[in-house]
Amino acid sequence: MDLRLRGKIAMISGASKGLGRAAALALAEEGVHLALNARGAELLEKLAAEIKRQHGVETLAVPGDMSQLADVQAFVRRTVEHFGRIDILVNNAGSSQGGIFWEVPDQIWLDSWGLKLFGYVRLMREVIPHMIRQGGGRIVNIVGNTGKQPVPTLLPGGSANVALLNITKGVAEAVAKHNIIVNAVNPGPIRTERWDGLMERVGKTLGMTAAEYEATFVKDIPLGRVGRPEEIADLVVFLASERASYLTGTSITADGGMTKSVA
């Protein structure tokens, strides 16, 4: 199936590892040129060079912290200066610590909202005017299934996720007349460095090993396993493509059947 993505320009935040890296590789396979962001410059530049070498697409590495407005603006500015346009934005930068609710301090909540929630908001706010001027675009927000199904030990991230689902829906309606399509992907447990670290940190607060804590999630997954980053990347590519042209303001949950809802 031709996804009609070859030659498009995509920005991806949090691109150096995990879901962002998987999305970058999947888009590159479709011939998409990439502007890549992450806080760590070394891994980011290594990925950009690897993708350019393997797939023959143009890449631009822009290190920066998406919790900082100046870095967000620099990422967008450098992308436009280098490529001349922005066809696709994949919002992915964001991580959150968890723990027992009454033991989680304010700073963990603020850090979660500052990077993921406000990082996504800032990037969309900076990118949308460019998309309006060029006549359209695609935005894919990688959110998380805890926005629909709360996990008591992951509430800082879950609260950011539910806010992002609301914002995704509202922004999609606001920009639809400009041919800008905005959707979200809600991953469940996915085998990434971030997931493994989260299992270790939260498990420790509960007196469990990482494997024991992960097992509490797996028992609730009908497919009986943690997902792979490539399984989320495939959804990102589809939502960024012309094949998803009649989908906007919605979210697709990919969690092996973990979320217990009918919508």
Side-chain angles (χ1 to χ4, degrees):
M1 178 184 291
D2 182 9
L3 297 176
R4 304 173 193 171
L5 282 169
R6 187 163 300 280
K8 299 287 188 181
I9 309 301
M11 297 177 64
I12 305 176
S13 65
S16 63
K17 296 185 289 187
L19 298 181
R21 176 186 172 87
L25 290 167
L27 285 166
E29 287 180 6
E30 297 296 326
V32 177
H33 305 297
L34 301 170
L36 305 172
N37 157 267
R39 285 181 286 192
E42 185 177 352
L43 274 180
L44 187 68
E45 290 167 359
K46 183 178 178 181
L47 175 63
E50 175 189 335
I51 289 174
K52 186 172 184 178
R53 182 175 63 253
Q54 289 184 358
H55 298 286
V57 298
E58 186 68 23
T59 59
L60 173 69
V62 187
D65 182 348
M66 294 298 96
S67 70
Q68 303 300 313
L69 178 58
D71 286 3
V72 171
Q73 291 172 330
F75 184 28
V76 176
R77 182 181 65 254
R78 289 190 58 191
T79 300
V80 173
E81 288 173 352
H82 188 85
F83 292 109
R85 60 186 292 116
I86 302 165
D87 299 302
I88 300 159
L89 168 64
V90 179
N91 261 319
N92 174 67
S95 61
S96 180
Q97 297 184 49
I100 299 169
F101 172 73
W102 51 91
E103 296 179 356
V104 177
D106 285 1
Q107 196 58 51
I108 286 179
W109 292 83
L110 293 171
D111 289 345
S112 178
W113 297 339
L115 178 56
K116 188 164 189 180
L117 176 57
F118 285 103
Y120 283 30
V121 167
R122 292 183 184 110
L123 262 174
M124 287 192 288
R125 192 173 60 203
E126 295 295 323
V127 164
I128 283 170
H130 293 284
M131 289 184 171
I132 290 173
R133 283 193 290 271
Q134 69 195 28
R138 299 284 191 275
I139 297 175
V140 182
N141 292 324
I142 299 180
V143 182
N145 71 340
T146 56
K148 289 190 172 184
Q149 181 158 300
V151 175
T153 51
L154 302 177
L155 293 176
S159 63
N161 288 345
V162 72
L164 285 170
L165 293 178
N166 183 283
I167 290 166
T168 295
K169 184 70 172 179
V171 171
E173 183 173 345
V175 300
K177 64 184 178 182
H178 300 291
N179 192 34
I180 301 172
I181 287 175
V182 187
N183 289 299
V185 177
N186 293 322
I190 305 296
R191 182 70 64 202
T192 64
E193 299 93 332
R194 182 183 300 171
W195 171 259
D196 292 341
L198 182 64
M199 293 300 97
E200 185 173 349
R201 289 193 305 273
V202 179
K204 186 176 181 180
T205 68
L206 299 174
M208 305 167 71
T209 67
E212 288 170 340
Y213 184 51
E214 182 177 294
T216 68
F217 286 87
V218 173
K219 71 179 177 59
D220 292 326
I221 302 174
L223 289 182
R225 64 175 176 85
V226 173
R228 301 187 305 273
E230 295 78 13
E231 292 173 307
I232 303 305
D234 287 343
L235 278 176
V236 171
V237 172
F238 169 69
L239 290 174
S241 78
E242 295 298 319
R243 298 297 181 177
S245 58
Y246 202 53
L247 280 174
T248 197
T250 193
S251 64
I252 299 176
T253 299
D255 63 1
M258 183 179 180
T259 298
K260 305 299 190 289
S261 68
V262 295

